[in-house]
Amino acid sequence: MTSCLYDPASDAYEDFIIQYLHSTSAQLDELARISCIQTIDQNYAVIYADAGNVGDLNISDYTYASIPKIYGLLDTGAVESSGILKAVNQPSLLADGRGVLIGFLDTGIDYTNPLFQNADGTTRILAIWDQTASGRETSAKEVFPEVSDNFPVADAPDSATFYGTVYPHEQINRALALLRDGGDPFSLVPQQDENGHGTFMASVAAGGSVAQPIAFSGAAPEAWIAIAKLKPAKQYLKDFFLIPDGVPAYQENDLMAATAWLIRLAQQHQLPLVICSGVGTGQGSHDGTSPFCEQLNSLSGYPGVAAVTGAGNETGLQHHYHGITHADAEYNDVQLRIGAQEPGFCMELWAREPDLFTVGFISPSGETVSRIPLALGRNAKIPFRLSDTEISLNYVNYESGSGSQLIFMRFQNPSPGIWHLLVYPDIQASGEFHIWLPMRQFLSEDTVFLKPDPDTTVTDPGNAAMPITVAAYNHSSGGIDIHSSRGFTRSGRIKPDLAAPGVDVQGAAKPLSLPLSAQAEEIRFTRMTGTSVAAAVTAGAVADLFTWAITDGNDQTLSAAAVRSMLIRGAIKNPAFTYPSREWGFGKLDLYQALAYF
């Protein structure tokens, strides 16, 4: 990694993801020669390009995969229902997360909460990487500890600049000691979870067992914890993807860097690792081919490493359209209602290879844009004379990750009302295509397809093969959550894998106020719903499996693929349903039954 003139987290740089062993585009090759570069693993690196050297952002010049996708948070008696409490308390198992690290990609953590402490007041948090922290440059070696040759990541460079600040275990303990003495812990470790989502997720997965003020236990109450507090997406990316102000949004390359850090941290301490992702995106091929998905997939064969993610919360929101053009029809008329308060959005059409399509538009006022030929669809800008609407259009005939055609449409200042997207077949085999709108928090609730398809709504990275992808169900009523995303992937891969409790689940709340010294011993609880909550429950269950297998020596070779098989075999199945199911995957999580089948 070459020296960066500025903090790479600043808006002075624009970020591009590259497969650094391959040439991607002339523009990226040129930027790589004059900018700072961060290696993620054997396959991927991130270019931090001086914003003054970057032209107008578009997917034709810089490639679709290189522009970091924008991720959002996946949601606004669980452990007992999942067979976890029985496994934790069974004397012959004691599968409680001992000797396992659960790493979170989220909004941070309230490290002062007693749920994350041992009985003696020391922390179970091994490290925090606060990507948002500024004021000093952190060496890559400090962020990425030394690794051995047989671990599935590239060696960290000896000297480089990076971003954010890492707070190790010893420093967090000193901050807690200061808190107990009536001091300000944030003078030593200033990281805080202003949102509360990360604290909640960590408590559900790995919170300790307490009896007061209520009886509570996380799924893996003895596990080590690490968390990467994700920095907000840079403004230039939010502007490009038309992300609303004030909505939590995160960059794909920051997720990749955080994942690499967690892997190296686990290897440094020789601990099995469960990566828990509480974020997702509606962008991409919906087949697990993005750089972040590929990074997770590359870990699948290594023992003691697994990843868990939520399926998303997109069902019932009318954000997905599935179309088939027939031989006797000139085009497929896709009707889209755009809300009156919609400032703009990006929409993606993905074809099934080898099909190729072209598109035209009819605005609510009746203004028609005729079919745009493939030759003219490279970063075309389409103004509408009767309104302020402009549509930017890109035809990518063979997107590098999937091999499929991508039609990328960017609506700026769209006129409210019913729009018609006319989809014409150019090369037709199956005639099948999918279109996705952005995920729920990035879009007005009134912008919807009029003939939506509720299936194939799992968000990335949940479409990738490696993560255990989890749907959410109500452990009180037994029913699937109404918004839990449904499978399968675009190519038919079985996702979600399982369902876990994710409706009105109890977990730690963020502090009422700061400083915390007056309420240091008080634990506050709240409830949340969503598939990221279900993912946290499942991440704890996977940590419990690693305790039994690796910490206690029953199977030192247990890998993510084996963990997935164990959980599927132990899943509770309703005889009224057919499995695998688009809603339930292979059934409800039951850790005790998974261990019983070993």
Side-chain angles (χ1 to χ4, degrees):
M1 177 172 173
T2 59
S3 179
C4 298
L5 297 177
Y6 314 105
D7 179 2
S10 75
D11 287 332
Y13 289 111
E14 297 188 12
D15 307 353
F16 296 92
I17 301 169
I18 59 168
Q19 286 187 285
Y20 60 88
L21 295 180
H22 305 283
S23 177
T24 51
S25 76
Q27 286 82 357
L28 291 177
D29 289 344
E30 182 64 26
L31 291 174
R33 285 193 283 271
I34 60 176
S35 307
C36 60
I37 302 175
Q38 171 204 349
T39 298
I40 298 294
D41 58 16
Q42 311 98 312
N43 298 312
Y44 289 100
V46 177
I47 296 173
Y48 297 101
D50 190 317
N53 295 321
V54 179
D56 290 341
L57 201 61
N58 63 81
I59 66 173
S60 293
D61 290 335
Y62 295 102
T63 78
Y64 177 76
S66 73
I67 300 173
K69 295 169 188 63
I70 297 294
Y71 284 67
L73 299 176
L74 285 183
D75 48 61
T76 357
V79 294
E80 185 173 2
S81 300
S82 302
I84 294 172
L85 200 59
K86 196 172 182 181
V88 170
N89 294 331
Q90 176 63 250
S92 62
L93 296 175
L94 291 179
D96 55 9
R98 284 174 295 109
V100 179
L101 176 63
I102 306 181
F104 298 89
L105 313 178
D106 221 290
T107 63
I109 190 168
D110 173 16
Y111 67 86
T112 68
N113 194 309
L115 289 174
F116 308 128
Q117 298 171 21
N118 298 304
D120 62 1
T122 58
T123 186
R124 285 190 291 117
I125 301 173
L126 196 58
I128 301 170
W129 177 17
D130 186 352
Q131 294 184 347
T132 71
S134 59
R136 75 175 181 90
E137 291 181 332
T138 304
S139 71
K141 197 166 186 176
E142 182 178 353
V143 177
F144 288 164
E146 289 292 340
V147 297
S148 64
D149 291 338
N150 61 357
F151 208 69
V153 289
D155 288 341
D158 287 339
S159 62
T161 57
F162 205 42
Y163 59 97
T165 302
V166 173
Y167 302 106
H169 179 256
E170 297 79 6
Q171 190 171 348
I172 300 169
N173 272 332
R174 290 198 301 272
L176 291 177
L178 186 61
L179 175 63
R180 289 192 293 271
D181 291 338
D184 178 13
F186 302 112
S187 63
L188 288 178
V189 179
Q191 184 277 158
Q192 299 173 32
D193 181 9
E194 297 85 357
N195 182 284
H197 188 272
T199 297
F200 186 92
M201 291 276 287
S203 71
V204 170
S209 300
V210 296
Q212 297 293 333
I214 59 173
F216 177 84
S217 176
E222 297 297 322
W224 287 102
I225 298 166
I227 191 155
K229 179 179 179 177
L230 301 170
K231 72 173 181 62
K234 293 181 178 179
Q235 191 60 47
Y236 83 94
L237 273 179
K238 294 172 67 176
D239 291 343
F240 177 70
F241 289 115
L242 300 166
I243 303 299
D245 291 336
V247 177
Y250 309 98
Q251 293 182 204
E252 183 177 17
N253 57 297
D254 291 327
L255 293 166
M256 296 174 71
T259 299
W261 171 71
L262 288 172
I263 293 166
R264 298 176 194 217
L265 183 71
Q267 193 279 334
Q268 181 193 32
H269 293 276
Q270 298 184 359
L271 294 171
L273 172 65
V274 183
I275 300 167
C276 182
S277 171
V279 295
T281 182
Q283 296 177 270
S285 68
H286 286 71
D287 205 21
T289 59
S290 72
F292 183 38
C293 290
E294 293 291 349
Q295 181 192 26
L296 295 179
N297 286 339
S298 71
L299 307 174
S300 61
Y302 293 90
V305 181
V308 181
T309 189
N313 308 289
E314 292 295 302
T315 294
L317 301 180
Q318 301 174 259
H319 290 173
H320 170 237
Y321 182 91
H322 178 214
I324 297 178
T325 58
H326 299 286
D328 58 349
E330 181 184 3
Y331 56 80
N332 190 307
D333 183 2
V334 180
Q335 298 178 36
L336 172 69
R337 187 185 72 206
I338 295 182
Q341 304 302 316
E342 184 62 68
F345 58 92
C346 295
M347 185 169 72
E348 299 180 7
L349 183 153
W350 290 82
R352 171 167 288 187
E353 59 274 7
D355 290 19
L356 288 177
F357 295 93
T358 49
V359 296
F361 302 91
I362 302 176
S363 74
S365 64
E367 188 172 358
T368 300
V369 173
S370 301
R371 179 181 190 176
I372 301 167
L374 288 171
L376 299 180
R378 186 181 184 275
N379 200 31
K381 294 187 182 299
I382 307 163
F384 285 78
R385 295 187 301 275
L386 302 181
S387 68
D388 292 331
T389 303
E390 181 179 88
I391 298 177
S392 298
L393 175 70
N394 290 91
Y395 292 141
V396 181
N397 290 347
Y398 303 100
E399 192 274 324
S400 60
S402 64
S404 302
Q405 184 194 29
L406 161 65
I407 302 179
F408 185 86
M409 293 161 277
R410 185 173 182 268
F411 286 70
Q412 290 180 276
N413 302 314
S415 298
I418 307 300
W419 283 75
H420 297 259
L421 172 67
L422 310 180
V423 181
Y424 298 85
D426 270 49
I427 296 177
Q428 181 166 330
S430 68
E432 183 178 7
F433 64 91
H434 296 261
I435 310 174
W436 286 277
L437 289 164
M439 60 193 297
R440 60 194 304 176
Q441 57 265 56
F442 297 155
L443 193 68
S444 162
E445 64 179 11
D446 294 325
T447 299
V448 297
F449 290 114
L450 295 187
K451 296 181 180 180
D453 179 5
D455 296 334
T456 325
T457 50
V458 172
T459 54
D460 273 355
N463 292 294
M466 159 64 168
I468 298 167
T469 304
V470 190
Y473 77 92
N474 189 321
H475 61 283
S476 297
S477 69
I480 199 77
D481 179 41
I482 189 172
H483 292 307
S484 181
S485 288
R486 297 169 57 165
F488 301 128
T489 71
R490 189 170 62 95
S491 64
R493 180 184 296 120
I494 307 302
K495 292 288 177 173
D497 298 293
L498 299 160
V503 177
D504 203 27
V505 173
Q506 189 165 255
K510 65 179 180 179
L512 283 171
S513 61
L514 298 173
L516 295 176
S517 55
Q519 51 181 320
E521 300 303 321
E522 180 183 350
I523 305 174
R524 296 179 57 252
F525 290 93
T526 187
R527 293 181 180 273
M528 286 190 184
T529 294
T531 60
S532 68
V533 179
V537 173
T538 306
V542 175
D544 295 337
L545 276 179
F546 279 152
T547 294
W548 172 84
I550 297 176
T551 305
D552 292 341
N554 289 294
D555 183 358
Q556 299 286 338
T557 68
L558 193 66
S559 66
V563 166
R564 180 175 179 272
S565 293
M566 290 181 71
L567 293 180
I568 287 172
R569 286 179 187 144
I572 300 172
K573 295 177 174 59
N574 187 329
F577 299 146
T578 299
Y579 297 93
S581 158
R582 291 182 183 270
E583 296 88 354
W584 297 91
F586 288 94
K588 296 180 182 178
L589 172 69
D590 191 310
L591 176 62
Y592 187 76
Q593 288 300 319
L595 286 165
Y597 283 118
F598 184 79

